[in-house]
């Protein structure tokens, strides 16, 4: 546990000196800021004309995860591939830490970075809460944020896992982005194209189905939690195995 | 401290090291001498737990490298050939990170102590990206020493350093090696002679020979080669030289100099000098040429090489 934390801390601190991380944080926060302003002004106008519907945080959180699909590959691409390229992986693999501790530490560091950006967006929830009477739907908000955290954790685990396979971070970026594109966009399309149990399989693999249509609508179901936890386990397992294979080569 | 038994590593069809067997005692500095691609780095990577061997066993500080890899890694300090540093960290941050990975209680204090040991205290808060090659090498050594390991494995610790830095590095290694086991690799013969208590010569994944530097030296000085240069026309010089007793393998070089060899215990140089001066040449230079590593290998792998160990 201690080793995981040491690696995670190093990884987390590294993001704050990395230009890519700042670009990612800027893209997410800037886009969210614009979207938030739009939502507030939209609901204000509705209210002026007698609209009774209250805004909630789910569109903002949906956008957050949507942007993560594009930005997580940039966050995780150098995670292990850069260590392999610069030779520092040799340092970590000959230090008294287990391979899985290294991978979990890398993932945790990335997750903490994304959670830091997410924490900034809490300000939107707070503002929204003060504008709406009697406040925004708390249960929906908890479910929505749980969904964001799980989706972020799953995307990052897959990204770190893929980064462990490559020595070239550009290759890691495109492989990760390709996978996310398939999981987020293509699975839904495939699901509509085929019939029967095939459609169910595609629908089950679709990240959007477990987030946008489930946790982000206020429904916390075990199957969705299991889905995200499985993706996390798959990503971390891939990463650990990739490091082990690297040793044997 | 280090016991290696029949260690073998294959990269696909290529055998990088082939049935290596050797050991190193506590407080001994053992040099791994060989050309590039001889299998030095592979052996070191196996001993440090970076990669498993294809066959054979080894123990480091009493622990099996395969079964008890973490225990081995706790007791070994390793400086890889490409010095693994994080350029975005300061010297102090880097060493604190390494100390934390090794569960050292007071990381800051230990980091400062270690920096002092490699003469980098005044650069503690400088970013590693600003370091010179020599400082980076010392930083890599500091990282290997942070947990005060029983065994130190250094892969080409002086490569790429300027002469003054090489001298400094060798001094540091000798100091460290007083109470620790050090296994270092090099392809520079004189370096192995200066630092090591014992030298293993490795070529194409096999140990060619193993001895103390002194013994190795005397075995290798079976033949000495000399370059001779005279002023002006050197026509007929090689003919004169080759007539001197003990001289063999006389060779005229295109630049007018002449190279010759003489056997051990029959120093032909005084007689050669006398002969050519009497013949009216003006002697400008007579200089012994060290045998290159390649020549040593040829020498050692030749069937009747002087002092070759039968194996």
């Amino acid at each position: 546990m201690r080793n995981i934390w040491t690696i995670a801390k190093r990884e987390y601190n590294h993001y704050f000196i990395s230009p890519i991380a700042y670009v990612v944080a800027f893209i997410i926060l800037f886009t969210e800021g614009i979207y938030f302003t739009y939502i507030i002004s939209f609901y204000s106008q509705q209210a002026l004309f007698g609209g009774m519907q209250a805004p909630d945080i789910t569109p903002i959180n949906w956008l957050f995860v949507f942007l993560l699909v594009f930005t997580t590959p940039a966050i995780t691409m150098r995670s292990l591939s850069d260590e392999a390229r610069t030779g520092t992986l040799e340092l970590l693999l000959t230090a008294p830490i287990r391979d899985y501790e290294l991978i979990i530490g890398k993932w945790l560091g990335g997750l903490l970075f994304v959670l830091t950006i997410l924490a900034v967006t809490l300000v939107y929830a707070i503002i929204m809460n003060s504008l709406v009477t009697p406040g925004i739907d708390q249960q929906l908000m908890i479910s929505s944020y749980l969904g964001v955290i799980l989706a972020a954790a799953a995307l990052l685990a897959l990204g770190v896992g893929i980064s462990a396979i490559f020595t070239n971070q550009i290759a890691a970026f495109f492989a990760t982005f390709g996978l996310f594109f398939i999981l987020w966009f293509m699975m839904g399309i495939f699901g509509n194209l085929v019939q029967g149990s095939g459609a169910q399989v595609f629908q089950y693999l679709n990240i959007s189905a477990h987030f946008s249509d489930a946790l982000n609508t206020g429904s916390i179901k075990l199957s969705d939690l299991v889905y995200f936890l499985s993706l996390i386990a798959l990503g971390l397992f891939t990463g650990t195995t990739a490091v082990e294979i690297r040793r044997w080569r | 401290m280090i016991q290696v038994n029949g260690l073998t590593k294959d990269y696909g069809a290529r055998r990088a090291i082939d049935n290596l067997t050797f050991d190193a005692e506590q407080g001994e500095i053992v040099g791994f001498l060989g050309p590039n691609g001889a299998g030095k780095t592979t052996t070191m990577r196996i001993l440090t737990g970076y990669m498993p061997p294809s066959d054979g066993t080894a123990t480091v500080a009493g622990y099996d490298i395969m079964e008890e890899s973490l225990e081995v890694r706790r007791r070994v300090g390793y400086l890889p050939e490409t010095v693994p540093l994080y350029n975005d960290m300061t010297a102090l941050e880097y060493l604190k990170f390494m100390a934390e990975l090794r569960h050292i209680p007071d990381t800051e204090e230990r980091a400062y102590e270690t920096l002092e040991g490699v003469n980098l205290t005044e650069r503690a808060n400088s970013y590693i990206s600003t370091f010179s090659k020599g400082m980076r090498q010392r930083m890599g050594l500091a990282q290997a020493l942070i947990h005060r390991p029983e065994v130190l494995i250094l892969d080409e610790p002086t490569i790429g350093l300027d002469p003054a830095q090489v001298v400094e590095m060798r001094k540091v290694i000798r100091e460290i090696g007083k109470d620790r086991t050090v296994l270092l690799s090099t392809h520079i013969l004189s370096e192995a002679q200066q630092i090591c208590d014992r030298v293993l010569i490795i070529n194409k994944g096999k140990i060619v020979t193993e001895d103390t530097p002194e013994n190795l030296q005397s075995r290798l000085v079976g033949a000495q080669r000399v370059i001779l240069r005279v002023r002006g026309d050197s026509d007929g010089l090689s003919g004169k030289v080759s007539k001197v007793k003990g001289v063999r393998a006389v060779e005229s070089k295109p630049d007018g100099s002449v190279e010759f060899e003489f056997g051990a215990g029959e120093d032909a140089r005084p007689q050669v000098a006398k002969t050519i001066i009497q013949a009216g040449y003006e002697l400008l230079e007579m200089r012994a040429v060290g045998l290159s590593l390649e020549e040593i290998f040829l020498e050692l792998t030749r069937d009747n090489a002087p002092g070759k160990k039968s194996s």
Side-chain angles (χ1 to χ4, degrees):
Chain A
M1 195 59 209
R2 189 169 163 185
N3 292 333
I4 293 174
W5 185 238
T6 306
I7 300 283
K9 255 192 326 191
R10 148 81 191 142
E11 189 72 2
Y12 181 72
N13 289 331
H14 184 87
Y15 284 116
F16 288 93
I17 50 146
S18 138
I20 290 174
Y22 279 102
V23 170
V24 166
F26 174 78
I27 290 173
I28 293 178
L29 293 175
F30 182 73
T31 316
E32 292 238 305
I34 290 176
Y35 196 44
F36 177 72
T37 315
Y38 167 75
I39 288 171
I40 292 298
S41 64
F42 176 79
Y43 281 100
S44 311
Q45 280 182 352
Q46 294 285 306
L48 280 179
F49 295 106
M52 293 301 286
Q53 208 191 349
D56 63 59
I57 199 71
T58 58
I60 299 286
N61 280 350
W62 177 84
L63 182 66
F64 191 91
V65 174
F66 180 75
L67 291 171
L68 279 186
V69 170
F70 296 91
T71 53
T72 305
I75 297 175
T76 57
M77 65 179 182
R78 47 149 290 282
S79 171
L80 279 126
S81 61
D82 215 36
E83 304 261 9
R85 187 182 61 80
T86 59
T88 45
L89 191 62
E90 195 164 351
L91 187 75
L92 298 174
L93 295 189
T94 55
I97 58 169
R98 293 179 173 84
D99 293 350
Y100 70 81
E101 292 176 323
L102 171 64
I103 296 293
I104 296 177
K106 287 279 179 185
W107 165 73
L108 190 61
L111 183 60
L112 290 175
F113 174 70
V114 171
L115 292 184
T116 307
I117 303 176
L118 185 66
V120 178
T121 70
L122 279 175
V123 74
Y124 302 135
I126 295 165
I127 295 172
M128 207 175 260
N129 196 42
S130 69
L131 292 175
V132 178
T133 320
I136 56 173
D137 187 338
Q138 300 285 327
Q139 199 191 330
L140 177 60
M141 189 178 79
I142 290 170
S143 165
S144 173
Y145 272 104
L146 178 67
V148 175
I149 293 168
L150 283 172
L155 293 175
L156 285 159
L158 293 171
V160 168
I162 290 173
S163 176
I165 300 173
F166 292 95
T167 310
N168 181 326
Q169 47 176 303
I170 305 297
F173 174 87
F174 281 107
T176 311
F177 180 67
L179 177 70
F180 290 177
F181 188 80
I182 291 170
L183 287 178
W184 182 271
F185 295 102
M186 301 307 285
M187 285 304 167
I189 296 172
F190 292 155
N192 290 334
L193 287 179
V194 297
Q195 305 275 311
S197 57
Q200 276 183 338
V201 170
F202 285 129
Q203 210 49 43
Y204 185 74
L205 291 172
N206 187 352
I207 296 184
S208 196
H210 296 275
F211 173 70
S212 318
D213 310 334
L215 284 162
N216 208 28
T217 61
S219 103
I220 303 179
K221 282 206 304 271
L222 187 64
S223 64
D224 298 320
L225 303 185
V226 168
Y227 171 79
F228 285 116
L229 294 176
S230 312
L231 282 190
I232 294 169
L234 175 70
L236 299 179
F237 178 75
T238 305
T240 309
T241 310
V243 168
E244 269 166 26
I245 289 172
R246 207 179 268 281
R247 286 184 187 275
W248 282 95
R249 263 197 307 228
Chain B
M1 259 307 167
I2 303 177
Q3 276 171 332
V4 175
N5 202 347
L7 215 57
T8 299
K9 176 77 186 178
D10 296 320
Y11 292 115
R14 192 175 74 82
R15 180 149 288 189
I17 57 169
D18 190 2
N19 201 17
L20 283 195
T21 300
F22 65 89
D23 53 27
E25 302 297 321
Q26 185 162 7
E28 192 179 30
I29 304 183
V30 175
F32 235 179
L33 186 64
N36 295 331
K40 299 178 301 236
T41 299
T42 301
T43 311
M44 294 186 151
R45 283 181 164 177
I46 292 171
L47 292 179
T48 51
Y50 179 73
M51 53 163 71
S54 307
D55 200 11
T57 57
T59 59
V60 177
Y63 293 94
D64 186 283
I65 53 158
M66 284 296 284
E67 305 296 322
E68 297 148 310
S69 179
L70 286 180
E71 292 301 323
V72 170
R73 288 187 245 165
R74 277 189 192 110
R75 287 163 179 81
V76 173
Y78 175 40
L79 171 63
E81 192 177 349
T82 41
V83 184
L85 301 175
Y86 292 109
N87 286 329
D88 57 280
M89 285 176 142
T90 66
L92 190 63
E93 283 169 354
Y94 175 72
L95 286 185
K96 278 168 73 178
F97 172 63
M98 292 313 296
E100 258 182 78
L101 274 183
R102 300 207 172 258
H103 301 190
I104 292 162
D106 194 340
T107 56
E108 181 139 350
E109 193 186 322
R110 181 67 69 87
Y112 269 115
E113 276 173 31
T114 313
L115 279 175
E116 206 181 315
V118 295
N119 291 329
L120 280 172
T121 316
E122 71 277 21
R123 298 299 297 267
N125 292 309
S126 305
Y127 281 99
I128 292 175
S129 57
T130 65
F131 281 14
S132 71
K133 176 83 183 156
M135 289 159 78
R136 292 177 69 87
Q137 205 80 19
R138 275 184 282 158
M139 208 52 226
L141 188 63
Q143 155 289 118
L145 289 170
I146 189 95
H147 54 299
R148 296 177 181 156
E150 298 164 49
V151 177
L152 206 60
I153 295 183
L154 311 172
D155 197 355
E156 304 266 8
T158 59
I159 200 164
L161 300 183
D162 69 36
Q165 292 169 333
V166 169
V167 170
E168 178 66 30
M169 190 66 159
R170 287 178 187 164
K171 210 172 89 188
V172 173
I173 294 170
R174 263 200 306 269
E175 196 58 39
I176 297 163
K178 279 181 182 158
D179 50 359
R180 273 176 263 236
T181 306
V182 179
L183 179 66
L184 69 90
S185 74
T186 175
H187 58 263
I188 307 160
L189 180 63
S190 63
E191 179 162 292
Q193 283 167 341
Q194 282 177 38
I195 316 179
C196 304
D197 301 316
R198 196 148 53 86
V199 176
L200 306 173
I201 295 188
I202 176 171
N203 190 27
K204 290 180 182 157
K206 287 186 169 159
I207 293 180
V208 182
T209 194
E210 173 186 344
D211 219 328
T212 61
E214 295 76 31
N215 288 348
L216 210 55
Q217 177 78 350
S218 59
R219 282 163 52 188
L220 291 173
V221 182
Q224 187 147 12
R225 187 174 295 178
V226 174
I227 284 187
L228 190 68
R229 207 184 295 276
V230 293
R231 192 192 297 277
D233 202 1
S234 64
D235 283 351
L237 180 64
S238 57
K240 292 267 188 293
V241 171
S242 58
K243 286 194 183 108
V244 177
K245 185 171 172 285
V247 169
R248 59 184 193 223
V250 183
E251 199 183 337
S252 290
K253 295 283 175 182
D255 65 351
S257 65
V258 169
E259 252 186 70
F260 65 92
E261 264 181 37
F262 55 85
E266 40 180 350
D267 194 344
R269 283 174 293 185
Q271 195 53 44
V272 168
K274 212 178 280 175
T275 306
I276 58 174
I277 285 167
Q278 277 168 2
Y281 293 101
E282 285 182 77
L283 181 59
L284 287 181
E285 186 186 9
M286 177 141 60
R287 160 167 68 89
V289 194
L291 289 174
S292 71
L293 195 55
E294 286 67 31
E295 288 164 319
I296 287 167
F297 281 117
L298 290 175
E299 197 77 18
L300 282 168
T301 47
R302 241 168 30 198
D303 284 334
N304 56 353
K308 184 180 189 296
K309 271 191 178 172
S310 55
S311 55

